[in-house]
Amino acid sequence: MRMRVLPGLAAAVCLLFLAGCGSAVPKPDPTGTVKGFPYTVHNCGVTTTYRHPPTRAVTLNQHTTEIMLALGLRKSMVGTAYLDDAVLPQYRDAYDSVKVLAKRYPSQEALLSAEPDFVYGGFTSAFDESQGRGRAALAKDGINTHLSIENCPAGPVTETTDDQEILTIGRIFAVEDRAKALVASMHTALDRVRSQLAHAKPVKAFVYDSGERTAFTAGGAGIGNEILELAGGSNAFADLDKRFGDVSFEQVAQRAPDVIVIYDYGEQSVAAKKAFLLSNPALRDVPAIRHRHFAVLPLSSTVLGVRLPSAVESLARQLHPGDFR
């Protein structure tokens, strides 16, 4: 399944992107300073003081890449890597103008060859110390780093966390106005979905990411839980106090979800995941299985980034088709 982008959101983001393409990030004045800098960020245990906006950024993971492109920052990018899905259509041309360093994560040599001054990772695996991409090691090479705050939240990951991530990147690159406008357009799109679901009864849902002996599912502390709730769903494992966790299929059966939300990614297809769930004897009496009620979201839409509104709308349409015209 591919996401249908909200028309209002697409238009707003495209306008932001076009505006960003023609305008560079603010340059230092004759004294070597930029208004609003130095700027200090405390990020996932790493404190970084930016003396000026980065000019040679590398993005690792799809959602970080799309945030940068949505903010019109392709001219500040010298490399990118690791897509889980096709880049959103409105960013395709900009993405194609950025060098792809690797299909997945680049080697230390490939990363350093781009001579970045900033590396933006979406998952902790982006900064794998064993592969020479640790944040401390990069700092020794004079490279600043930022990890999506979904990986180190102070509390549950929510719509507000998504706002914070986008606004922080906007601040680091001195494009705060673009970031604020993007966040505002996303809120407008989410409000439109809320209004459509004003009288909808929440549907109990179980998220199936993967797993055969146990099920790897979305807990109550992650953005997956937030997407479900915003889309008019009720997470069957909202009481799992983590972003993701393993549960038994017997536990799934006990909670009797009315719909199963499948995360689409990797080598195992959605069809294969459905076939496995339908053939699992532990689930045969689950309402979602008896009625073959499934919903699907691509993994790229279930993490912090610019896809939150379109993910919510897509899931809401699958959970409550009668509320959308």
Side-chain angles (χ1 to χ4, degrees), residues 129 133-141 145:
E129 293 181 5
R133 297 191 307 271
R135 298 184 73 178
L138 292 174
K140 287 182 181 179
D141 287 321
T145 58

Side-chain angles (χ1 to χ4, degrees), residues 40-49 135-136 139 144-147 152:
T40 298
V41 177
H42 304 287
N43 169 244
C44 298
V46 176
T47 298
T48 304
T49 297
R135 298 184 73 178
N144 292 324
T145 58
H146 187 88
L147 176 62
C152 53

Side-chain angles (χ1 to χ4, degrees), residues 4 59 166:
R4 188 183 74 79
T59 56
I166 292 170

Side-chain angles (χ1 to χ4, degrees), residues 101-116:
L101 303 180
K103 184 176 180 180
R104 295 191 179 275
Y105 288 126
S107 65
Q108 179 188 36
E109 181 181 10
L111 178 59
L112 295 180
S113 70
E115 300 183 350

Side-chain angles (χ1 to χ4, degrees), residues 36-220:
F37 288 80
Y39 172 54
T40 298
V41 177
H42 304 287
N43 169 244
C44 298
V46 176
T47 298
T48 304
T49 297
Y50 296 88
R51 301 295 171 186
H52 52 75
T55 59
R56 299 186 61 82
V58 168
T59 56
L60 304 179
N61 302 119
Q62 178 148 358
H63 45 304
T64 62
T65 299
E66 290 183 345
I67 287 174
M68 291 284 288
L69 296 178
L71 293 174
L73 292 169
R74 70 171 178 81
K75 290 184 178 179
S76 298
M77 297 171 64
V78 294
T80 186
Y82 215 138
L83 295 184
D84 291 302
D85 199 356
V87 171
L88 289 170
Q90 61 266 40
Y91 309 136
R92 187 76 226 186
D93 288 346
Y95 175 79
D96 287 343
S97 72
V98 181
K99 183 178 181 179
V100 176
L101 303 180
K103 184 176 180 180
R104 295 191 179 275
Y105 288 126
S107 65
Q108 179 188 36
E109 181 181 10
L111 178 59
L112 295 180
S113 70
E115 300 183 350
D117 60 2
F118 178 82
V119 178
Y120 183 15
F123 300 111
T124 54
S125 53
F127 297 114
D128 188 339
E129 293 181 5
S130 69
Q131 298 299 313
R133 297 191 307 271
R135 298 184 73 178
L138 292 174
K140 287 182 181 179
D141 287 321
I143 302 168
N144 292 324
T145 58
H146 187 88
L147 176 62
S148 172
I149 57 174
E150 183 175 7
N151 298 279
C152 53
V157 181
T158 66
E159 179 182 349
T160 300
T161 315
D162 202 37
D163 294 347
Q164 183 183 349
E165 179 70 10
I166 292 170
L167 292 171
T168 298
I169 296 302
R171 180 70 175 80
I172 289 171
F173 283 86
V175 290
E176 291 174 273
D177 288 346
R178 297 181 206 169
K180 289 177 181 177
L182 175 57
V183 166
S185 71
M186 292 171 67
H187 278 274
T188 297
L190 286 168
D191 288 343
R192 190 158 48 242
V193 176
R194 286 189 182 96
S195 67
Q196 295 275 63
L197 297 176
H199 303 293
K201 181 180 178 181
V203 176
K204 184 188 288 189
F206 159 64
V207 171
Y208 180 66
D209 176 287
S210 58
E212 294 187 357
R213 293 187 178 180
T214 58
F216 194 52
T217 191

